[in-house]
Structures are given as C-alpha cells and as structure tokens.
Amino acid sequence: MIPNALIRALVLLALGLVSAHAEVRLHNLFTDHMVLQQGTTVPVWGWADDGEKVTVEFAGQKASTTARGGRWLVKLKNLEPGRPGVLKVSGQREGQSTVAQVNDVVVGEVWVASGQSNMEWSLAKSFNSTNDIAVSANPNIRLFTVPKLKLNAPTNNVNSKWVECGPTTVPGFSAVAYYFARDLQKALGVPVGVLHTSWGGSPAEVWIREDLMAADEDYQRDILNKYRNDLAKLPAQITAWEKRRDAAKVAGTRFMERQPSLWKPAELYNGMIANIIPYAVNGAIWYQGESNAGRAWQYRRLFADMIKNWRRDWDRDFTFLEVQLAPYDRVNGRMQRTLEEITAQPEPSTWAELREAQLLATKNLKKVGMAVITDVGDKDDIHPTKKEPVGARLALLARKITYGEKMVADGPSLSGAKFSSGKATLSFENVGGGLEARGGPLTGFAIAGTNQVFTWATATIESGKIIVSHPAVPQPVAVRYGWSDFPVVNLFNKQGLPATPFRTDDWKMVTKPEQKEFKQ
C-alpha cells in the first residue's frame, strides 16, 4: 500500500507540473476585432514554452511551428476579405494542450498613423466633428491605439486592443487617421484598420533606431552627442526654472513656462514602433516636422532615413504618406502679427525649409506621397483644427500610389523654370484639369535678381504656365512660392488640390549648418 503522504506528494508534484506548463499566448496586437492585411504574408506571433508545438488556424489556413526561446511565429498567406472569422491558436506539449481564440477578425487594409501633435489631435477637438462622431459607427473600420511609452531599449509587446469604430470609440482617436480610414474604406469597400502611434511635440529622431544613428558620423555628432551634452546641462536648467516658478508664486503672478525637458533619441521607436513590428501593414501616414523645423537641413536626410529604417525593419517596402506642415506664424516670441505684417515683405523661413525637406522625400524615395495643406492653416495656432481635408488628401494619395487608381491625387508642383525678357516662366506637373487661382489674382510669388533680395511679384496663368515678374527686378534669376512660415497662397489645380511651396534657387538656407557639408 502506498503511504498517504506519498500520494499527497505525487498529487502536488503533478499539480506543479501542470501549473509549470504556460499557456500559449498571442502578442497583444492580436485581439478581438482586429484587421489582418489582405493579399500578403501575415506574421502571427506570441509566446509559449520552449519546444511547444503551436498551431494557428484562420480562414481555412493552418500553420504550425515549435516555440524557441519562449517565442513562436507563423505566417498566414494571401488572406482575402470576407465575413468576420475566428483566429484559433493551440499549443501542444507533453500531452497537454492550451487554446487561445480571437473573435471577430476581418481581413482588409492595415495602416500605421504616426507623428506628433497634429497626428495625435483627436476627432473630438476637430472642426465641426460632432456629426462625424455621431455617424461614425462602421464595423469595417477598426482602431488600435498604441499607448505612449518611452523606453531605452525596444519592447516586444503593447498594452492595448482593437476596437470597432463608433461614437464611443472614435472621439479620442486621431482625427487625421479617422478621416483617412473613413475615405479609404469607402473607396476600397474592404475593412480598414489603423494602428495609431503618435506623441505631441516629438522630433523625428525619437522615432528612429539608435544604432542606425550611432553608425552615422553626422547623426552621432549632431543628435546623439548633442543629447548627452544637453542632458548634462538639464539639472541646472530645472533648478533655475524652479526658482522662477517659486518667485512667480510668491509675487502672485501667472507662470506659464514649461519645465525644461529633453527627448531622448530612439525612445519612441523603442516604446511605440518596435512593439508593433512585424504586424503586416500596407502603409504609413505621417504628420510631423514642427519640432524639427529649426533643423530643416538635417531633416532632408533624417526623414528619409527614418522611412528607410521602418521599411527595413518591417521587411516591407510599404507606402509612406506624409503631411506637409500647415501654415503657422511662429512670430519668434513676439505678439501675434496681423496678416498685413506677415505679408509685408518676403522673409527667410525655417518652416518653408522644412516643407522643402518633406517635398524632397517624395522625389528621392519611391512610394512616398505628400498631402499639401496650405489652405487649412491657422495663423495663430500650430494645431489647425480642420483635419478632414488632411485625411481626405492622404486617402487620395493612397488610392493612387498604393492601389493604382488612375486619378489626380496631388496639387501642382514645379517641373521647370525659364528666365528671359525680365520674367520667369514656370511649368508644373500634377495640374489635373488645369491651373487656377482661387479667390482672386495669384498670390505668394516672390522674385529676385542676382542680389538675392526677394520682392513680391505679379503672377498670371497663361497657356498652362505661370508668368512671374516685377518692374523692380529687370533681370530675375529666382522665384519662390509660398516661402513663409504662414504662406498666403492660392494656386490650385481644378481638382481643388493646392500647389506645394517651392523655390527655383539653391541659395544658402537658414538651417544649413556652417560646419562641413552635411551629406545629402
């Protein structure tokens, strides 16, 4: 007879063995209501005990693997849109099995939406959005918000879940991302899912891998080393700020100065991008640049390198659609200026230089598009609340670049300039049904001679081209359009899309460093 004590020990041992067997787990991107990308390879991954056989079943496909290092990954292929389904994951080890199930899974198009505050800007705070929120219920639009997280090293999971779009889920979601998804879903007729991952005020370098910047001489010097130097100065700056704050409190005066802080390079890539890779996506929309305007020359390379970084890490040459900076009068700490003061004479502009850097990305990289929004800015607010046209223009670009629709999706952009007989003759592409000036004569054109002094010019549309001149500049050599923090411009094509600001010259920029030539 087996002693009772031994029986109890065997039972406890058995229970211990059972509890030691961890349940198969899915990454938190795989939740009820999720959208899986159609027509491509779709990774599905999670965690399980080493050596555990894991099987994923969905839409008639079955894929199996064995967990290694506590992690597993399988790939589904060429999924097609259809009725919502169930994704089933089962684990099998030593005669024991566990099952995880994800319900209401649809197949369609998946996009990432990222950037700083203008991408983060919620639908609830946007212009005339009350009715849009009220009628937003659509089971074919799914939303996923990546929580804000700064990390020194990449993480591999995310604490969030997919939700169906509707009046209770969309008000706090990115307005630009919602309007983009709404228009895209209507045009394509398939489910659309958006992974929203943005943070107000963030500069581009926090969305890039640190090792990539460390391997580049310019980035090492101008971003990583600069951060370390600034970090050493930060405690003294905070102490000085606290003294000013306390003095204001004693004096009973209002104190609105923000506490000094720093963005650490790569920290949002680590906390908010690495943890959603390699979820299958078909593209990204990006609204950022305000925080890099003072370093626009650097942004020419930095922005393109960020796009290449994401594409390489996702192992997908996906479409990347950006929003060009909206008009905004930065006034450099002065009182808000009137429109007459802003347009008194052409001025140097770091924001114009940043817009040019954004434009260059569309020319230097494949499958990069840019939504121009010179007509929806707010002179005195860095956050223009009219987000619907922004999302709509991004959706047009996606339909053309990603989905191959033959349509006009861009506003006019400069294709050539000739100078003779005291005038400049400008040619354009993306003219659609033709060029037009909205609301009166053309505005925003400036002309200069070899002295590099710009003067507001007269511009007219003649036979599909624009003729620019000014009697004070008898021998012009350069034209700029919309070259201002707050451009007052009105050149469109007949499809209602505004022209991008441009310059014909290559004269030195405000943000170009004095040090050795920055690589392009």
Side-chain angles (χ1 to χ4, degrees), residues 403-422:
Y403 305 107
E405 293 190 44
K406 297 185 182 301
M407 61 191 307
V408 177
D410 300 271
S413 59
L414 183 72
S415 60
K418 295 181 179 180
F419 298 89
S420 64
S421 304

Side-chain angles (χ1 to χ4, degrees), residues 52 57 80 93 121-122 153 155 181 183 187 189 192 235 253 286 289 291 315 323 350 365 371 375 381 384 387 458 483:
E52 184 164 3
E57 299 175 70
E80 297 180 356
R93 185 185 180 199
W121 197 260
S122 71
T155 185
D183 285 11
V192 172
T253 58
W286 174 258
S291 291
D315 194 25
V323 181
T350 59
L365 296 176
D375 55 333
D381 194 339
K387 301 302 188 188
T458 298
W483 201 263

Side-chain angles (χ1 to χ4, degrees), residues 192-265:
V192 172
V194 181
L195 297 161
H196 173 228
T197 176
S198 61
W199 195 320
S202 57
E205 60 267 23
V206 303
W207 297 100
I208 306 177
R209 276 173 39 193
E210 184 174 2
D211 62 313
L212 298 180
M213 290 184 282
D216 183 281
E217 178 184 352
D218 292 322
Y219 297 150
Q220 177 70 53
R221 178 189 65 241
D222 299 327
I223 294 177
L224 299 180
N225 289 347
K226 184 180 183 303
Y227 166 76
R228 296 185 187 103
N229 292 335
D230 291 345
L231 186 63
K233 301 173 185 176
L234 186 60
Q237 293 171 347
I238 293 176
T239 298
W241 173 86
E242 290 173 341
K243 290 180 179 180
R244 294 193 297 273
R245 179 200 60 192
D246 295 343
K249 184 177 181 180
V250 171
T253 58
R254 191 176 183 186
F255 186 73
M256 298 183 63
E257 182 183 341
R258 290 185 178 181
Q259 179 175 332
S261 62
L262 290 177
W263 287 97
K264 184 177 182 179

Side-chain angles (χ1 to χ4, degrees), residues 317-500:
D317 190 24
F318 54 63
T319 304
F320 200 101
L321 307 178
E322 56 173 318
V323 181
Q324 195 177 56
L325 291 190
Y328 170 59
D329 185 33
R330 290 186 305 111
V331 303
N332 297 316
R334 296 169 294 187
M335 296 296 291
Q336 292 177 349
R337 299 189 294 178
T338 65
L339 193 58
E340 290 73 20
E341 290 173 322
I342 293 172
T343 58
Q345 61 184 14
E347 297 177 327
S349 168
T350 59
W351 275 47
E353 293 182 20
L354 195 287
R355 294 188 190 105
E356 181 181 61
Q358 293 175 310
L359 176 62
L360 287 174
T362 70
K363 299 180 180 298
N364 297 334
L365 296 176
K366 296 179 179 179
K367 296 172 66 177
V368 174
M370 182 178 69
V372 178
I373 57 169
T374 52
D375 55 333
V376 297
D378 187 324
K379 178 175 69 69
D380 302 320
D381 194 339
I382 198 171
H383 303 117
T385 60
K386 294 181 179 178
K387 301 302 188 188
E388 185 172 19
V390 183
R393 290 170 190 174
L394 289 169
L396 287 176
L397 290 166
R399 291 170 62 186
K400 179 180 180 179
I401 297 172
T402 311
Y403 305 107
E405 293 190 44
K406 297 185 182 301
M407 61 191 307
V408 177
D410 300 271
S413 59
L414 183 72
S415 60
K418 295 181 179 180
F419 298 89
S420 64
S421 304
K423 62 184 180 181
T425 301
L426 308 179
S427 303
F428 292 82
E429 56 188 2
N430 301 321
V431 297
L435 300 174
E436 67 176 24
R438 291 200 163 187
L442 285 173
T443 62
F445 287 86
I447 199 166
T450 56
N451 63 357
Q452 301 187 13
V453 176
F454 282 91
T455 301
W456 292 125
T458 298
T460 57
I461 300 173
E462 299 180 16
S463 301
K465 299 182 185 298
I466 292 181
I467 310 301
V468 186
S469 64
H470 192 282
V473 187
Q475 293 183 317
V477 298
V479 171
R480 292 180 178 180
Y481 170 73
W483 201 263
S484 170
D485 292 351
F486 185 79
V488 179
V489 292
N490 64 346
L491 175 61
F492 289 73
N493 58 26
K494 291 190 182 298
Q495 279 70 25
L497 297 172
T500 179

